[in-house]
Amino acid sequence: MTLQLLWEEYAARYGVAAYRRSAFCQIYRRWEKRLKRSMRQRHFAGEKLFVDYAGRTVPIYGSRGEEAFRAHLFVSAMGASGCAYAEATRSESLPDWLASHVRALEFYGAAPTILVPDNPKVGVTRADRYEPDLQRSYEELAGHYRCVVIPARPYRPKDKSRVELSVLLVYRWILARLRHQRFFSLDELNAAIRPLLSELNDRPFQRLPGSRRSVFEALDRPAMRALPANPYVFAE
C-alpha cells in the first residue's frame, strides 16, 4: 500500500471536498506518529521454549566471607503456559549453557518443538535475521532432543517477550526474597531457588483461571515430545 493509492481512493470518494495530496500526506504522517506498533505472537501448545540469562548476578561467598564469584541465572519459559524454570550457574560458558538446557528439559519432563534463545555467542556464532549460524554443540543438543533452534531476531526483545517477563518475575518473586541471604555455594543458592520457583508456577493467575503449572500440565505437556532415554552429554 502506498500513500499515493490511499490519496487517490480518498479523492475519488470525496471529490472536490477532498484534501490536496500534500495536505493528505501531512495529516497521515501526523496520525502515524501516534501509533504504537507491536508484534502479536501466537503461542501454540508445547511448541516453543524461550531461554535466556537474567542480567543480574548473585554473589557467592568464600569460607572467610569474601566474594568468591558471582552466579549467573538461567531462565526459561514455555510459550503457551509461561511455566518457568530458573537455576544458578557458575558462568555463561558453553558447558553451563548446555547443562542448563538439559536440566530445564528434565524439569518440564518433555521437549518442545522449538528452542528460542536470544543471540548469545555461546549458542549462536553469527547472528542473522534469516540464517543465523548455531554453535555446533548447541545444534547437537537440539538434535538429541529432536528440537530446532530458532533464535530471536537481533535487537528485537519483543520476539522473546515471554522469557523477558519470566526474567522480571524471577527478579521480583525470587531474587527480591533472597536479597538478605548470603550463599556459600551454587548448591545452596539453587536449593533456595527451587521452592520459590514452585510457588511462582503454582501462583494463580490474576485474570485467568489456573496457574502456570496447571496450564502447562493441561496444554503444553500433552503436546510436547518425550525425552530420550539418556540425556545429552557435552564432550570436548
Side-chain angles (χ1 to χ4, degrees), residues 75-77 82-84 161-171 200:
V75 181
S76 66
C83 187
S161 58
R162 176 64 78 180
V163 75
E164 294 285 347
L165 175 60
S166 296
V167 167
L168 184 61
L169 289 173
V170 166
Y171 286 159
L200 172 62

Side-chain angles (χ1 to χ4, degrees), residues 44-50 78-79 101-115 141-148 216 219-230 232:
F44 298 96
E47 183 186 46
K48 292 180 180 179
L49 177 65
F50 296 85
M78 290 300 303
H101 278 71
V102 172
R103 288 188 287 269
L105 294 176
E106 290 175 350
F107 171 80
Y108 293 114
T113 305
I114 304 171
L115 297 171
L141 178 142
H144 183 81
Y145 291 102
R146 295 184 298 159
C147 304
V148 296
F216 170 78
L219 192 65
D220 276 327
R221 188 159 187 171
M224 296 172 72
R225 304 177 182 187
L227 296 179
N230 298 311
Y232 172 81

Side-chain angles (χ1 to χ4, degrees), residues 73-140:
L73 289 173
F74 174 89
V75 181
S76 66
M78 290 300 303
S81 64
C83 187
Y85 173 76
E87 70 169 24
T89 61
R90 188 178 182 91
S91 68
E92 297 183 10
S93 63
L94 181 62
D96 283 334
W97 170 253
L98 299 177
S100 292
H101 278 71
V102 172
R103 288 188 287 269
L105 294 176
E106 290 175 350
F107 171 80
Y108 293 114
T113 305
I114 304 171
L115 297 171
V116 185
D118 199 351
N119 284 273
K121 292 183 179 179
V122 69
V124 181
T125 56
R126 184 183 67 89
D128 185 82
R129 181 169 181 173
Y130 303 104
E131 292 292 339
D133 291 335
L134 300 179
Q135 205 282 338
R136 181 178 175 183
S137 296
Y138 193 28
E139 205 165 13
E140 290 176 352

Side-chain angles (χ1 to χ4, degrees), residues 156-221:
R156 294 293 187 272
K158 288 185 179 182
D159 285 11
K160 53 186 178 67
S161 58
R162 176 64 78 180
V163 75
E164 294 285 347
L165 175 60
S166 296
V167 167
L168 184 61
L169 289 173
V170 166
Y171 286 159
R172 294 175 176 176
W173 194 260
I174 297 178
L175 293 188
R177 296 187 177 193
L178 301 177
R179 68 188 185 279
H180 299 306
Q181 298 185 38
R182 292 166 67 91
F183 301 98
F184 296 89
S185 69
L186 280 176
D187 291 339
E188 187 179 346
L189 174 56
N190 281 316
I193 289 175
R194 279 191 288 271
L196 296 177
L197 180 64
S198 294
E199 288 184 34
L200 172 62
N201 285 322
D202 292 332
R203 186 184 182 189
F205 290 124
Q206 293 184 354
R207 299 181 181 179
L208 297 172
S211 64
R212 287 173 176 81
R213 190 183 303 277
S214 66
V215 175
F216 170 78
E217 294 293 343
L219 192 65
D220 276 327
R221 188 159 187 171

